[in-house]
Amino acid sequence: MGYLTLAGAILSEILATTAMKYSDGFSRLWPSLATLAGYLVAFTLLARTLRTMSVGTAYAIWAGAGTAVIAAIGMVFLGESAGPLKILGVLLVIAGVVVLHMGGAH
């Protein structure tokens, strides 16, 4: 169940961050409200995840997955640069999360 709530937290964080891009510095109402709601859900689900998973592992997966997906969304859908170093950086984030998880996911 911990991984399911963590997946929900990650998805909520990704949606909130994407909405923040469209909030225009929190000057647009609906994207701003979506950002706030998304982060509220994300942190609530992350807190529930911590009942059954270590904080280091849960946070690393949450932050790493969110970072990788947001970077990919930026490159694929928002016209951000997709140079080799940026792609390598995203792959290193993913590798770091995998190694941390293999070293002690409890």
Side-chain angles (χ1 to χ4, degrees):
M1 190 66 172
Y3 284 103
L4 187 59
T5 56
L6 183 57
I10 292 166
L11 179 61
S12 297
E13 187 263 338
I14 291 166
L15 293 173
T17 302
T18 303
M20 190 186 315
K21 169 72 175 163
Y22 293 103
S23 75
D24 195 27
F26 292 112
S27 64
R28 296 180 63 215
L29 178 63
W30 294 113
S32 298
L33 291 176
T35 300
L36 294 173
Y39 279 117
L40 178 64
V41 170
F43 281 108
T44 299
L45 292 174
L46 181 60
R48 289 182 187 262
T49 300
L50 297 180
R51 292 177 177 170
T52 60
M53 189 180 294
S54 70
V55 68
T57 300
Y59 191 77
I61 294 170
W62 181 68
T67 299
V69 172
I70 287 296
I73 287 171
M75 289 184 279
V76 173
F77 298 109
L78 302 176
E80 296 178 4
S81 67
L85 285 178
K86 191 170 189 178
I87 293 169
L88 176 63
V90 170
L91 293 174
L92 288 171
V93 168
I94 294 167
V97 170
V98 169
V99 169
L100 181 66
H101 180 68
M102 289 172 39
H106 300 292

Coordinates of all heavy atoms in Angstrom, one line a residue:
M1 N 0.8 -1.2 0.0 CA 0.0 0.0 0.0 C 0.9 1.3 0.0 O 0.5 2.3 -0.6 CB -0.9 0.0 1.2 CG -2.0 1.0 1.2 SD -3.1 0.7 -0.1 CE -4.3 1.9 0.2
G2 N 2.0 1.2 0.6 CA 2.9 2.3 0.7 C 3.3 2.8 -0.7 O 3.4 4.0 -1.0
Y3 N 3.6 1.9 -1.6 CA 4.0 2.3 -2.9 C 2.8 2.9 -3.7 O 3.0 3.8 -4.6 CB 4.6 1.1 -3.7 CG 6.0 0.8 -3.3 CD1 6.3 -0.2 -2.4 CD2 7.1 1.6 -3.7 CE1 7.6 -0.5 -2.0 CE2 8.4 1.4 -3.2 CZ 8.6 0.3 -2.4 OH 9.9 0.1 -2.0
L4 N 1.6 2.5 -3.4 CA 0.5 3.0 -4.1 C 0.2 4.5 -3.7 O 0.0 5.4 -4.5 CB -0.8 2.2 -3.8 CG -2.0 2.5 -4.6 CD1 -1.8 2.4 -6.1 CD2 -3.2 1.6 -4.2
T5 N 0.3 4.7 -2.4 CA 0.1 6.1 -1.9 C 1.3 7.0 -2.4 O 1.1 8.2 -2.7 CB 0.0 6.2 -0.4 OG1 1.1 5.6 0.3 CG2 -1.3 5.5 0.1
L6 N 2.5 6.4 -2.4 CA 3.6 7.2 -2.9 C 3.4 7.5 -4.4 O 3.7 8.7 -4.8 CB 4.9 6.4 -2.7 CG 6.2 7.1 -3.2 CD1 6.4 8.4 -2.4 CD2 7.4 6.2 -2.9
A7 N 2.9 6.6 -5.2 CA 2.7 6.9 -6.6 C 1.6 8.0 -6.7 O 1.8 8.9 -7.6 CB 2.2 5.6 -7.3
G8 N 0.6 8.0 -5.9 CA -0.4 9.1 -5.9 C 0.3 10.4 -5.5 O -0.1 11.5 -6.1
A9 N 1.2 10.4 -4.5 CA 1.9 11.6 -4.1 C 2.7 12.2 -5.3 O 2.7 13.4 -5.5 CB 2.8 11.3 -2.9
I10 N 3.4 11.3 -6.0 CA 4.2 11.7 -7.1 C 3.4 12.3 -8.2 O 3.7 13.3 -8.8 CB 5.0 10.5 -7.6 CG1 6.1 10.1 -6.6 CG2 5.7 10.8 -9.0 CD1 6.7 8.7 -6.9
L11 N 2.3 11.6 -8.6 CA 1.4 12.1 -9.6 C 0.8 13.5 -9.2 O 0.8 14.4 -10.1 CB 0.3 11.1 -9.9 CG -0.8 11.5 -10.9 CD1 -0.1 11.7 -12.3 CD2 -1.9 10.5 -11.0
S12 N 0.4 13.6 -8.0 CA -0.2 14.9 -7.5 C 0.9 16.0 -7.6 O 0.6 17.1 -8.0 CB -0.7 14.8 -6.1 OG -1.7 13.9 -6.0
E13 N 2.1 15.7 -7.2 CA 3.2 16.7 -7.3 C 3.5 17.1 -8.7 O 3.7 18.3 -9.0 CB 4.4 16.1 -6.6 CG 5.5 17.1 -6.4 CD 6.6 17.0 -7.5 OE1 6.7 16.0 -8.2 OE2 7.3 18.0 -7.7
I14 N 3.5 16.1 -9.6 CA 3.7 16.4 -11.0 C 2.6 17.3 -11.6 O 2.9 18.3 -12.3 CB 3.8 15.1 -11.8 CG1 5.1 14.4 -11.5 CG2 3.8 15.4 -13.3 CD1 5.2 12.9 -11.9
L15 N 1.4 17.0 -11.3 CA 0.2 17.8 -11.8 C 0.3 19.2 -11.2 O 0.0 20.2 -11.9 CB -1.1 17.1 -11.4 CG -1.3 15.8 -12.2 CD1 -2.6 15.1 -11.6 CD2 -1.5 16.1 -13.7
A16 N 0.7 19.3 -9.9 CA 0.7 20.6 -9.2 C 1.8 21.5 -9.8 O 1.7 22.7 -10.1 CB 1.0 20.4 -7.7
T17 N 3.0 20.9 -10.1 CA 4.1 21.6 -10.7 C 3.8 22.1 -12.1 O 4.1 23.2 -12.5 CB 5.4 20.8 -10.6 OG1 5.7 20.4 -9.3 CG2 6.6 21.5 -11.2
T18 N 3.1 21.2 -12.8 CA 2.7 21.6 -14.2 C 1.7 22.7 -14.1 O 1.8 23.7 -14.9 CB 2.1 20.3 -14.9 OG1 3.1 19.3 -14.9 CG2 1.7 20.7 -16.4
A19 N 0.7 22.6 -13.2 CA -0.2 23.7 -13.1 C 0.5 25.0 -12.7 O 0.1 26.1 -13.1 CB -1.3 23.4 -12.0
M20 N 1.5 24.9 -11.9 CA 2.2 26.1 -11.5 C 2.8 26.8 -12.7 O 2.9 28.1 -12.7 CB 3.3 25.8 -10.5 CG 4.0 27.0 -9.8 SD 5.4 26.7 -8.7 CE 4.9 25.3 -7.8
K21 N 3.3 26.1 -13.6 CA 3.8 26.7 -14.9 C 2.8 27.6 -15.5 O 3.1 28.6 -16.1 CB 4.3 25.5 -15.8 CG 4.6 26.0 -17.2 CD 5.9 26.7 -17.3 CE 6.3 27.0 -18.7 NZ 7.3 28.1 -18.8
Y22 N 1.6 27.1 -15.5 CA 0.5 27.9 -16.1 C -0.2 28.9 -15.2 O -1.1 29.6 -15.7 CB -0.6 26.9 -16.7 CG 0.0 26.1 -17.8 CD1 0.4 24.7 -17.6 CD2 0.2 26.6 -19.1 CE1 0.9 24.0 -18.6 CE2 0.8 25.9 -20.1 CZ 1.1 24.6 -19.9 OH 1.7 23.8 -20.9
S23 N 0.2 29.0 -14.0 CA -0.4 30.0 -13.1 C 0.1 31.4 -13.3 O -0.5 32.3 -12.7 CB -0.1 29.6 -11.6 OG 1.2 29.9 -11.3
D24 N 1.2 31.5 -14.1 CA 1.7 32.9 -14.4 C 2.1 33.6 -13.1 O 1.6 34.7 -12.9 CB 0.8 33.6 -15.3 CG 1.5 34.8 -16.0 OD1 2.7 34.8 -16.1 OD2 0.8 35.8 -16.3
G25 N 2.9 33.0 -12.3 CA 3.3 33.6 -11.0 C 2.1 33.7 -10.0 O 2.1 34.7 -9.3
F26 N 1.2 32.8 -10.1 CA 0.0 32.8 -9.2 C -0.9 33.9 -9.5 O -1.6 34.4 -8.6 CB 0.4 32.7 -7.7 CG 1.0 31.4 -7.3 CD1 2.3 31.3 -6.9 CD2 0.2 30.2 -7.4 CE1 2.9 30.1 -6.6 CE2 0.8 29.0 -7.0 CZ 2.1 29.0 -6.6
S27 N -0.9 34.4 -10.7 CA -1.8 35.5 -11.1 C -3.0 35.0 -11.8 O -4.0 35.8 -12.1 CB -1.0 36.5 -12.0 OG -0.7 36.0 -13.2
R28 N -3.1 33.7 -12.2 CA -4.2 33.1 -12.8 C -4.9 32.2 -11.8 O -4.2 31.3 -11.2 CB -3.8 32.4 -14.1 CG -3.2 33.3 -15.1 CD -2.8 32.6 -16.4 NE -3.9 32.0 -17.0 CZ -3.9 30.9 -17.7 NH1 -2.8 30.2 -17.8 NH2 -5.0 30.4 -18.2
L29 N -6.2 32.4 -11.6 CA -6.9 31.7 -10.5 C -6.9 30.2 -10.6 O -6.5 29.5 -9.7 CB -8.3 32.3 -10.4 CG -9.2 31.6 -9.3 CD1 -8.6 31.9 -7.9 CD2 -10.6 32.1 -9.5
W30 N -7.4 29.6 -11.7 CA -7.6 28.2 -11.7 C -6.3 27.4 -11.7 O -6.2 26.4 -10.9 CB -8.5 27.8 -12.9 CG -9.9 28.4 -12.7 CD1 -10.5 29.3 -13.5 CD2 -10.8 28.0 -11.7 NE1 -11.7 29.6 -13.0 CE2 -11.9 28.8 -11.8 CE3 -10.7 27.1 -10.6 CZ2 -13.0 28.7 -11.0 CZ3 -11.8 27.1 -9.8 CH2 -13.0 27.8 -10.0
P31 N -5.3 27.8 -12.5 CA -4.0 27.1 -12.3 C -3.4 27.2 -10.9 O -2.8 26.3 -10.4 CB -3.1 27.7 -13.4 CG -4.0 28.3 -14.4 CD -5.2 28.7 -13.6
S32 N -3.6 28.4 -10.3 CA -3.1 28.6 -8.9 C -3.8 27.7 -7.9 O -3.1 27.1 -7.1 CB -3.3 30.1 -8.5 OG -2.5 30.9 -9.4
L33 N -5.1 27.6 -8.1 CA -5.8 26.7 -7.2 C -5.5 25.2 -7.4 O -5.4 24.4 -6.5 CB -7.3 26.9 -7.4 CG -7.9 28.2 -6.9 CD1 -9.4 28.4 -7.2 CD2 -7.6 28.4 -5.4
A34 N -5.3 24.9 -8.7 CA -4.8 23.5 -9.0 C -3.5 23.2 -8.4 O -3.2 22.1 -7.9 CB -4.8 23.3 -10.5
T35 N -2.6 24.2 -8.4 CA -1.3 24.0 -7.8 C -1.4 23.8 -6.3 O -0.8 22.8 -5.8 CB -0.4 25.3 -8.1 OG1 -0.3 25.5 -9.5 CG2 1.0 25.2 -7.4
L36 N -2.2 24.6 -5.6 CA -2.3 24.5 -4.2 C -3.0 23.1 -3.8 O -2.5 22.4 -2.9 CB -3.2 25.6 -3.6 CG -2.5 27.0 -3.7 CD1 -3.5 28.1 -3.3 CD2 -1.2 27.0 -2.9
A37 N -4.0 22.8 -4.6 CA -4.7 21.5 -4.3 C -3.8 20.3 -4.6 O -3.7 19.3 -3.8 CB -6.0 21.4 -5.2
G38 N -3.0 20.4 -5.7 CA -2.1 19.3 -6.0 C -1.1 19.1 -4.9 O -0.8 17.9 -4.6
Y39 N -0.5 20.2 -4.4 CA 0.5 20.0 -3.4 C -0.1 19.5 -2.1 O 0.6 18.8 -1.3 CB 1.3 21.3 -3.2 CG 2.4 21.4 -4.3 CD1 2.4 22.5 -5.2 CD2 3.4 20.5 -4.3 CE1 3.4 22.6 -6.1 CE2 4.4 20.6 -5.3 CZ 4.4 21.7 -6.2 OH 5.4 21.8 -7.1
L40 N -1.3 20.0 -1.8 CA -1.9 19.5 -0.5 C -2.1 18.0 -0.6 O -1.8 17.3 0.3 CB -3.3 20.2 -0.4 CG -4.1 19.8 0.9 CD1 -3.4 20.1 2.1 CD2 -5.5 20.4 0.9
V41 N -2.6 17.5 -1.7 CA -2.8 16.1 -1.9 C -1.5 15.3 -1.9 O -1.3 14.3 -1.2 CB -3.6 15.8 -3.2 CG1 -3.6 14.3 -3.6 CG2 -5.0 16.3 -3.2
A42 N -0.5 15.9 -2.6 CA 0.9 15.3 -2.6 C 1.5 15.1 -1.2 O 1.9 14.0 -0.9 CB 1.8 16.1 -3.5
F43 N 1.4 16.2 -0.4 CA 2.0 16.1 0.9 C 1.2 15.2 1.8 O 1.8 14.5 2.7 CB 2.2 17.5 1.5 CG 3.5 18.1 0.9 CD1 3.3 19.2 0.1 CD2 4.7 17.7 1.3 CE1 4.5 19.8 -0.4 CE2 5.9 18.3 0.8 CZ 5.7 19.4 -0.1
T44 N -0.1 15.2 1.7 CA -0.9 14.3 2.5 C -0.6 12.8 2.2 O -0.4 12.0 3.1 CB -2.4 14.6 2.2 OG1 -2.7 15.9 2.6 CG2 -3.3 13.6 3.0
L45 N -0.5 12.5 0.9 CA -0.2 11.1 0.5 C 1.2 10.8 0.9 O 1.5 9.6 1.3 CB -0.4 10.9 -1.0 CG -1.9 11.0 -1.4 CD1 -2.0 10.9 -2.9 CD2 -2.7 9.9 -0.8
L46 N 2.2 11.7 0.8 CA 3.5 11.4 1.2 C 3.6 11.1 2.7 O 4.3 10.2 3.1 CB 4.5 12.6 0.8 CG 5.9 12.4 1.2 CD1 6.5 11.2 0.5 CD2 6.7 13.7 0.8
A47 N 2.8 11.9 3.5 CA 2.8 11.7 4.9 C 2.2 10.3 5.2 O 2.7 9.6 6.1 CB 2.0 12.8 5.6
R48 N 1.2 9.9 4.5 CA 0.7 8.6 4.7 C 1.7 7.5 4.3 O 1.7 6.4 5.0 CB -0.6 8.4 3.9 CG -1.8 9.2 4.5 CD -3.1 9.0 3.7 NE -4.1 9.9 4.2 CZ -5.0 9.5 5.0 NH1 -5.1 8.3 5.6 NH2 -5.9 10.4 5.4
T49 N 2.4 7.7 3.3 CA 3.4 6.8 2.8 C 4.5 6.5 3.9 O 4.9 5.4 4.1 CB 4.1 7.3 1.6 OG1 3.2 7.4 0.5 CG2 5.2 6.3 1.1
L50 N 4.8 7.6 4.7 CA 5.8 7.5 5.7 C 5.4 6.6 6.9 O 6.2 6.3 7.7 CB 6.2 8.9 6.2 CG 6.8 9.8 5.1 CD1 7.2 11.1 5.7 CD2 8.0 9.1 4.5
R51 N 4.2 6.2 6.9 CA 3.7 5.3 8.0 C 4.3 3.9 7.7 O 4.6 3.1 8.7 CB 2.2 5.1 8.0 CG 1.4 6.3 8.4 CD 0.0 6.0 8.3 NE -0.8 7.2 8.7 CZ -2.1 7.3 8.6 NH1 -2.8 6.3 7.9 NH2 -2.8 8.3 9.0
T52 N 4.6 3.6 6.5 CA 5.1 2.2 6.1 C 6.4 2.2 5.4 O 6.9 1.1 5.1 CB 4.1 1.5 5.2 OG1 3.9 2.2 4.0 CG2 2.7 1.3 6.0
M53 N 7.0 3.3 5.2 CA 8.3 3.4 4.4 C 9.2 4.4 5.1 O 8.8 5.4 5.6 CB 8.0 3.8 3.0 CG 9.1 3.7 2.0 SD 8.7 4.2 0.3 CE 7.5 3.0 -0.2
S54 N 10.5 4.1 5.0 CA 11.5 5.0 5.6 C 11.4 6.4 4.9 O 11.2 6.4 3.7 CB 12.9 4.4 5.5 OG 13.4 4.4 4.2
V55 N 11.7 7.4 5.6 CA 11.6 8.8 5.1 C 12.6 9.0 4.0 O 12.3 9.6 3.0 CB 11.7 9.8 6.2 CG1 13.1 9.9 6.8 CG2 11.3 11.2 5.6
G56 N 13.8 8.5 4.1 CA 14.9 8.7 3.1 C 14.5 8.0 1.8 O 14.6 8.6 0.7
T57 N 14.0 6.8 1.9 CA 13.6 6.1 0.6 C 12.4 6.7 0.0 O 12.4 7.0 -1.2 CB 13.4 4.6 0.9 OG1 14.5 4.0 1.5 CG2 12.9 3.9 -0.3
A58 N 11.4 7.0 0.8 CA 10.2 7.6 0.2 C 10.4 9.0 -0.4 O 10.0 9.2 -1.5 CB 9.1 7.7 1.3
Y59 N 11.2 9.8 0.3 CA 11.4 11.1 -0.2 C 12.3 11.1 -1.5 O 12.1 11.8 -2.4 CB 12.0 12.0 0.8 CG 12.1 13.5 0.4 CD1 10.9 14.2 0.5 CD2 13.2 14.1 -0.1 CE1 10.9 15.6 0.0 CE2 13.2 15.4 -0.5 CZ 12.1 16.1 -0.5 OH 12.1 17.4 -0.9
A60 N 13.3 10.2 -1.5 CA 14.2 10.1 -2.6 C 13.4 9.6 -3.9 O 13.6 10.2 -5.0 CB 15.3 9.1 -2.4
I61 N 12.5 8.7 -3.7 CA 11.7 8.2 -4.8 C 10.7 9.3 -5.3 O 10.6 9.6 -6.5 CB 10.9 6.9 -4.5 CG1 11.9 5.8 -4.2 CG2 9.9 6.6 -5.5 CD1 11.2 4.6 -3.6
W62 N 10.1 10.0 -4.3 CA 9.1 11.1 -4.6 C 9.8 12.2 -5.3 O 9.4 12.7 -6.4 CB 8.5 11.6 -3.3 CG 7.5 12.7 -3.4 CD1 6.3 12.5 -4.0 CD2 7.6 14.0 -3.0 NE1 5.6 13.7 -3.9 CE2 6.4 14.7 -3.3 CE3 8.6 14.7 -2.3 CZ2 6.2 16.0 -3.0 CZ3 8.4 16.1 -2.0 CH2 7.2 16.7 -2.4
A63 N 10.9 12.7 -4.8 CA 11.6 13.8 -5.4 C 12.3 13.4 -6.7 O 12.2 14.2 -7.7 CB 12.7 14.4 -4.4
G64 N 12.9 12.3 -6.8 CA 13.6 11.9 -8.0 C 12.6 11.6 -9.1 O 12.9 12.1 -10.3
A65 N 11.6 10.9 -8.9 CA 10.6 10.6 -9.9 C 9.9 11.9 -10.4 O 9.8 12.1 -11.6 CB 9.5 9.6 -9.4
G66 N 9.6 12.8 -9.4 CA 9.0 14.0 -9.8 C 9.9 14.9 -10.6 O 9.5 15.5 -11.7
T67 N 11.2 15.0 -10.2 CA 12.2 15.7 -11.0 C 12.3 15.2 -12.4 O 12.3 15.9 -13.4 CB 13.5 15.7 -10.3 OG1 13.3 16.3 -9.0 CG2 14.6 16.4 -11.0
A68 N 12.5 13.9 -12.5 CA 12.7 13.3 -13.8 C 11.5 13.5 -14.8 O 11.6 13.9 -15.9 CB 12.9 11.8 -13.7
V69 N 10.3 13.3 -14.2 CA 9.1 13.4 -15.1 C 8.8 14.9 -15.4 O 8.5 15.2 -16.6 CB 7.8 12.8 -14.4 CG1 6.5 13.2 -15.2 CG2 8.0 11.3 -14.2
I70 N 9.0 15.8 -14.5 CA 8.9 17.2 -14.8 C 9.9 17.7 -15.9 O 9.6 18.4 -16.8 CB 8.9 18.1 -13.5 CG1 7.7 17.9 -12.7 CG2 9.1 19.6 -13.9 CD1 6.4 18.4 -13.4
A71 N 11.1 17.2 -15.7 CA 12.1 17.6 -16.7 C 11.7 17.0 -18.1 O 11.9 17.7 -19.1 CB 13.5 17.0 -16.3
A72 N 11.2 15.8 -18.1 CA 10.8 15.2 -19.4 C 9.6 16.0 -20.0 O 9.5 16.3 -21.2 CB 10.4 13.7 -19.2
I73 N 8.6 16.4 -19.2 CA 7.5 17.2 -19.6 C 8.0 18.5 -20.2 O 7.5 18.9 -21.3 CB 6.5 17.4 -18.5 CG1 5.7 16.1 -18.1 CG2 5.5 18.5 -18.8 CD1 4.9 16.2 -16.9
G74 N 8.9 19.1 -19.5 CA 9.5 20.4 -20.1 C 10.1 20.2 -21.4 O 9.9 21.0 -22.3
M75 N 10.9 19.1 -21.6 CA 11.6 18.9 -22.8 C 10.7 18.5 -23.9 O 10.8 19.0 -25.1 CB 12.7 17.8 -22.6 CG 13.9 18.3 -21.8 SD 15.2 17.1 -21.7 CE 14.6 16.0 -20.4
V76 N 9.7 17.6 -23.6 CA 8.8 17.1 -24.7 C 7.6 18.0 -25.0 O 7.3 18.2 -26.2 CB 8.3 15.7 -24.3 CG1 7.2 15.2 -25.2 CG2 9.4 14.7 -24.1
F77 N 7.0 18.6 -24.0 CA 5.8 19.4 -24.3 C 6.0 20.9 -24.2 O 5.1 21.7 -24.7 CB 4.7 19.0 -23.3 CG 4.3 17.5 -23.5 CD1 4.6 16.6 -22.5 CD2 3.6 17.1 -24.6 CE1 4.3 15.3 -22.7 CE2 3.3 15.8 -24.7 CZ 3.6 14.8 -23.8
L78 N 7.0 21.4 -23.5 CA 7.1 22.8 -23.2 C 8.2 23.5 -23.9 O 8.5 24.7 -23.7 CB 7.2 23.1 -21.7 CG 6.0 22.5 -20.9 CD1 6.3 22.8 -19.4 CD2 4.7 23.2 -21.3
G79 N 8.9 22.8 -24.8 CA 9.9 23.4 -25.7 C 11.2 23.7 -25.0 O 12.0 24.5 -25.4
E80 N 11.4 23.1 -23.8 CA 12.7 23.3 -23.1 C 13.8 22.5 -23.8 O 13.5 21.5 -24.5 CB 12.6 22.9 -21.6 CG 11.6 23.8 -20.9 CD 11.4 23.4 -19.4 OE1 12.1 22.4 -19.0 OE2 10.5 24.0 -18.8
S81 N 15.0 22.9 -23.6 CA 16.1 22.2 -24.3 C 16.2 20.8 -23.8 O 15.9 20.5 -22.7 CB 17.5 23.0 -24.0 OG 17.8 22.8 -22.6
A82 N 16.7 19.9 -24.7 CA 16.8 18.5 -24.5 C 18.2 18.1 -24.9 O 18.4 17.1 -25.5 CB 15.8 17.7 -25.2
G83 N 19.2 18.8 -24.4 CA 20.6 18.5 -24.8 C 21.1 17.2 -24.1 O 20.5 16.7 -23.1
P84 N 22.2 16.7 -24.5 CA 22.7 15.4 -24.0 C 23.0 15.5 -22.5 O 22.8 14.6 -21.8 CB 24.0 15.1 -24.8 CG 24.0 16.1 -25.9 CD 23.0 17.1 -25.7
L85 N 23.6 16.6 -22.0 CA 23.9 16.8 -20.6 C 22.6 16.8 -19.8 O 22.6 16.2 -18.7 CB 24.7 18.0 -20.4 CG 26.2 17.9 -20.8 CD1 26.9 19.2 -20.5 CD2 26.9 16.7 -20.0
K86 N 21.6 17.4 -20.2 CA 20.3 17.5 -19.5 C 19.7 16.1 -19.4 O 19.3 15.6 -18.3 CB 19.3 18.4 -20.2 CG 18.1 18.7 -19.3 CD 17.3 19.9 -19.9 CE 16.2 20.3 -19.0 NZ 15.5 21.5 -19.6
I87 N 19.7 15.4 -20.5 CA 19.2 14.0 -20.5 C 20.1 13.1 -19.6 O 19.5 12.3 -18.8 CB 19.2 13.4 -21.9 CG1 18.1 14.2 -22.7 CG2 18.9 11.9 -22.0 CD1 18.1 14.0 -24.2
L88 N 21.4 13.3 -19.6 CA 22.2 12.5 -18.7 C 21.9 12.8 -17.3 O 21.9 11.9 -16.4 CB 23.7 12.8 -19.0 CG 24.7 12.2 -18.1 CD1 24.7 10.6 -18.2 CD2 26.1 12.7 -18.4
G89 N 21.7 14.1 -17.0 CA 21.3 14.5 -15.6 C 20.1 13.8 -15.1 O 20.0 13.3 -14.0
V90 N 19.1 13.7 -16.0 CA 17.8 13.1 -15.6 C 18.1 11.6 -15.4 O 17.6 11.0 -14.4 CB 16.7 13.3 -16.7 CG1 15.5 12.4 -16.5 CG2 16.3 14.7 -16.8
L91 N 18.8 11.0 -16.3 CA 19.2 9.5 -16.1 C 19.9 9.3 -14.8 O 19.7 8.3 -14.1 CB 19.9 9.0 -17.3 CG 19.1 9.0 -18.6 CD1 20.1 8.6 -19.8 CD2 18.0 8.0 -18.5
L92 N 20.8 10.2 -14.4 CA 21.6 10.1 -13.2 C 20.7 10.2 -12.0 O 20.8 9.5 -11.0 CB 22.7 11.1 -13.1 CG 23.9 10.8 -14.0 CD1 24.9 12.0 -14.1 CD2 24.6 9.5 -13.7
V93 N 19.7 11.1 -12.0 CA 18.7 11.2 -10.9 C 18.0 9.9 -10.8 O 17.8 9.3 -9.7 CB 17.7 12.3 -11.2 CG1 16.5 12.3 -10.2 CG2 18.4 13.7 -11.1
I94 N 17.5 9.3 -11.9 CA 16.8 8.0 -11.8 C 17.7 6.9 -11.3 O 17.3 6.2 -10.4 CB 16.2 7.7 -13.2 CG1 15.2 8.7 -13.6 CG2 15.7 6.2 -13.2 CD1 14.8 8.6 -15.1
A95 N 18.9 6.9 -11.8 CA 19.9 5.9 -11.3 C 20.1 6.0 -9.8 O 20.2 5.0 -9.1 CB 21.2 6.0 -12.1
G96 N 20.2 7.3 -9.3 CA 20.5 7.5 -7.9 C 19.3 7.0 -7.0 O 19.5 6.4 -6.0
V97 N 18.1 7.2 -7.5 CA 16.9 6.7 -6.8 C 16.9 5.2 -6.7 O 16.7 4.6 -5.7 CB 15.6 7.3 -7.4 CG1 14.4 6.6 -6.8 CG2 15.6 8.8 -7.2
V98 N 17.2 4.6 -7.9 CA 17.2 3.1 -7.9 C 18.3 2.6 -7.0 O 18.0 1.6 -6.2 CB 17.5 2.6 -9.4 CG1 17.8 1.1 -9.4 CG2 16.3 3.0 -10.2
V99 N 19.5 3.1 -7.0 CA 20.6 2.6 -6.1 C 20.2 2.8 -4.7 O 20.4 1.9 -3.8 CB 21.9 3.4 -6.5 CG1 23.0 3.1 -5.4 CG2 22.4 2.9 -7.8
L100 N 19.7 4.0 -4.3 CA 19.2 4.2 -2.9 C 18.2 3.2 -2.5 O 18.2 2.7 -1.4 CB 18.7 5.7 -2.8 CG 18.3 6.0 -1.4 CD1 19.4 6.1 -0.4 CD2 17.6 7.4 -1.4
H101 N 17.2 3.0 -3.4 CA 16.2 2.0 -3.1 C 16.7 0.6 -2.9 O 16.3 -0.1 -2.0 CB 15.1 2.0 -4.2 CG 14.0 1.1 -3.9 ND1 13.1 1.3 -2.9 CD2 13.6 -0.1 -4.6 CE1 12.2 0.3 -2.9 NE2 12.5 -0.5 -3.9
M102 N 17.7 0.2 -3.7 CA 18.3 -1.1 -3.6 C 19.1 -1.3 -2.3 O 19.2 -2.4 -1.8 CB 19.2 -1.4 -4.8 CG 18.4 -1.6 -6.1 SD 19.4 -1.7 -7.6 CE 20.8 -2.6 -7.1
G103 N 19.6 -0.2 -1.8 CA 20.4 -0.2 -0.7 C 19.7 -0.2 0.7 O 20.3 -0.3 1.7
G104 N 18.4 -0.2 0.6 CA 17.7 -0.3 1.9 C 16.2 0.2 1.9 O 15.9 1.1 2.7
A105 N 15.4 -0.3 1.0 CA 14.0 0.1 1.0 C 13.3 -0.8 2.1 O 13.1 -1.9 1.9 CB 13.4 -0.2 -0.4
H106 N 12.9 -0.1 3.1 CA 12.2 -0.8 4.2 C 11.0 0.0 4.6 O 11.0 1.2 4.7 CB 13.1 -1.0 5.5 CG 14.3 -1.8 5.2 ND1 14.3 -3.1 4.9 CD2 15.6 -1.4 5.1 CE1 15.5 -3.5 4.7 NE2 16.3 -2.5 4.8

